[in-house]
Amino acid sequence: AAQAIHDYLGQQQRERLTERARAYAGEYTITQLESTQNALQTKLLEDYQEAVEQSNLQTLGQLTPLVQMVQMEQEAVALYLRFLKGLLNVQLTAAATTDPSKPDPPPYVPMGRVYNAAVTLLRHHLPMVSHCLHRAQGDAAVVRLIHQQVEHTVGPLLKEYIRQKRFSTLARNAQDVYNVIEDRYGGHQDYGRDDSGGGADFDDCGFSEQVGSMSEVDSAMEEAALCLQHAESYTRFINHSVREVNKARAIRFTKEEEAKRAERERKEWATGMSSSSSGAVGATGTG
């Protein structure tokens, strides 16, 4: 039934359902096709809504191509995004949550789990949506939704990490230590002279007290680097997905333009043949 409606709608789009074609098909056939179209769309929409409410991915995978065939992509995209958002909330929250009975992991661990969960979901859902729901911009909507949910989940983790590590305070303290070093050793004073009169004893200008030991600073910088590395890897994947979506759109646009050009040429050829036939009949009658 879906294939029959798909063919019927395709003939409508290509403007091939002329009065002559309708006459050949018969009014009963056209009425039956339109009635079947309405009934099929209503049934598919009901089944799709039920699958979304039950989070039944298998049924959604079976219905989505059929929804495309009867041109209900707009309704399907809205429902599919609702399903995907619920799935994202569950999986990303689970990825960001740590076991309270165990020591807190380094901050890059839950962030990395969130990124990995998002990438897995995008790889799983984007191909089908891009293939079946692209006319309703479903592919772009899926990428945008997943990225927004990742930002919503990772944002609090990052803020809590910055708060725990007191990065704002440490940054100010480090700047103060730098100013002390600049004042002490950047002028005309001899490097290594202790202003307190202690001779050649060196001090760190308050670095250990204000910022921390070198090992602590090194560990904190390594953690921050790993957080940035996970974020950068995820960002690269998202950018790659966006490029693939745009590439697929460009390919589809080219194919559609070629199909339109071929249809115009067919119509011009058919019109030319009809005119030639009419002219030949007129000349024969005159003779």
Side-chain angles (χ1 to χ4, degrees):
Q3 184 62 53
I5 299 303
H6 175 70
D7 294 340
Y8 171 66
L9 294 175
Q11 296 297 327
Q12 282 186 329
Q13 288 181 338
R14 290 189 288 271
E15 299 180 355
R16 291 184 179 179
L17 288 181
T18 60
E19 292 298 325
R20 185 176 182 181
R22 287 177 174 272
Y24 274 118
E27 188 63 29
Y28 175 78
T29 301
I30 301 298
T31 302
Q32 283 296 105
L33 283 171
E34 291 176 350
S35 176
T36 301
Q37 176 186 350
N38 294 332
L40 184 59
Q41 287 180 336
T42 301
K43 176 61 176 173
L44 281 176
L45 187 59
E46 291 175 354
D47 292 347
Y48 211 87
Q49 288 176 330
E50 183 178 355
V52 167
E53 292 171 358
Q54 297 176 356
S55 297
N56 192 331
L57 182 58
Q58 182 178 358
T59 302
L60 285 174
Q62 295 171 349
L63 293 178
T64 299
L66 299 179
V67 167
Q68 176 208 20
M69 295 175 71
V70 298
Q71 297 185 3
M72 293 179 60
E73 291 96 333
Q74 293 289 350
E75 296 88 343
V77 166
L79 291 171
Y80 200 95
L81 290 179
R82 194 174 79 188
F83 157 74
L84 187 57
K85 186 174 182 178
L87 193 63
L88 281 164
N89 286 335
V90 173
Q91 296 198 12
L92 296 188
T93 301
T97 303
T98 58
D99 190 347
S101 63
K102 297 180 180 179
D104 290 339
Y108 54 83
V109 172
M111 292 182 192
R113 289 200 299 255
V114 170
Y115 294 140
N116 290 337
V119 168
T120 300
L121 285 169
L122 189 58
R123 283 176 170 169
H124 186 75
H125 292 273
L126 183 58
M128 181 179 69
V129 174
S130 180
H131 178 71
C132 298
L133 304 178
H134 60 270
R135 282 198 291 261
Q137 312 296 324
D139 44 8
V142 165
V143 176
R144 183 166 55 247
L145 173 64
I146 290 179
H147 185 58
Q148 288 174 345
Q149 291 300 111
V150 167
E151 288 186 332
H152 179 73
T153 306
V154 171
L157 293 176
L158 186 58
K159 290 180 180 178
E160 179 62 17
Y161 168 55
I162 293 173
R163 186 192 67 80
Q164 289 181 356
K165 295 297 182 178
R166 302 184 304 112
F167 282 142
S168 298
T169 302
L170 290 176
R172 289 194 300 269
N173 292 345
Q175 183 62 45
D176 293 340
V177 172
Y178 171 81
N179 293 335
V180 172
I181 294 174
E182 183 71 17
D183 293 340
R184 181 172 297 181
Y185 302 118
H188 300 290
Q189 300 181 24
D190 293 335
Y191 181 81
R193 177 178 296 174
D194 189 352
D195 292 341
S196 62
D201 294 333
F202 299 109
D203 64 41
D204 61 1
C205 300
F207 184 90
S208 299
E209 180 182 352
Q210 297 294 325
V211 180
S213 67
M214 290 301 299
S215 61
E216 291 173 343
V217 173
D218 183 66
S219 176
M221 292 184 68
E222 184 176 352
E223 280 188 352
L226 286 170
C227 290
L228 291 174
Q229 182 181 353
H230 285 305
E232 196 269 339
S233 298
Y234 164 76
T235 303
R236 278 207 314 268
F237 180 79
I238 286 293
N239 289 336
H240 170 74
S241 300
V242 171
R243 287 194 298 270
E244 290 300 308
V245 167
N246 290 333
K247 185 187 300 183
R249 286 185 177 183
I251 292 173
R252 285 192 293 264
F253 177 78
T254 301
K255 288 184 177 180
E256 289 173 0
E257 290 300 307
E258 290 177 352
K260 291 178 182 178
R261 179 179 55 79
E263 182 66 17
R264 285 196 301 269
E265 292 177 352
R266 186 196 65 81
K267 287 182 178 179
E268 291 172 358
W269 179 83
T271 303
M273 290 294 293
S274 177
S275 299
S276 299
S277 300
S278 300
V281 170
T284 304
T286 303

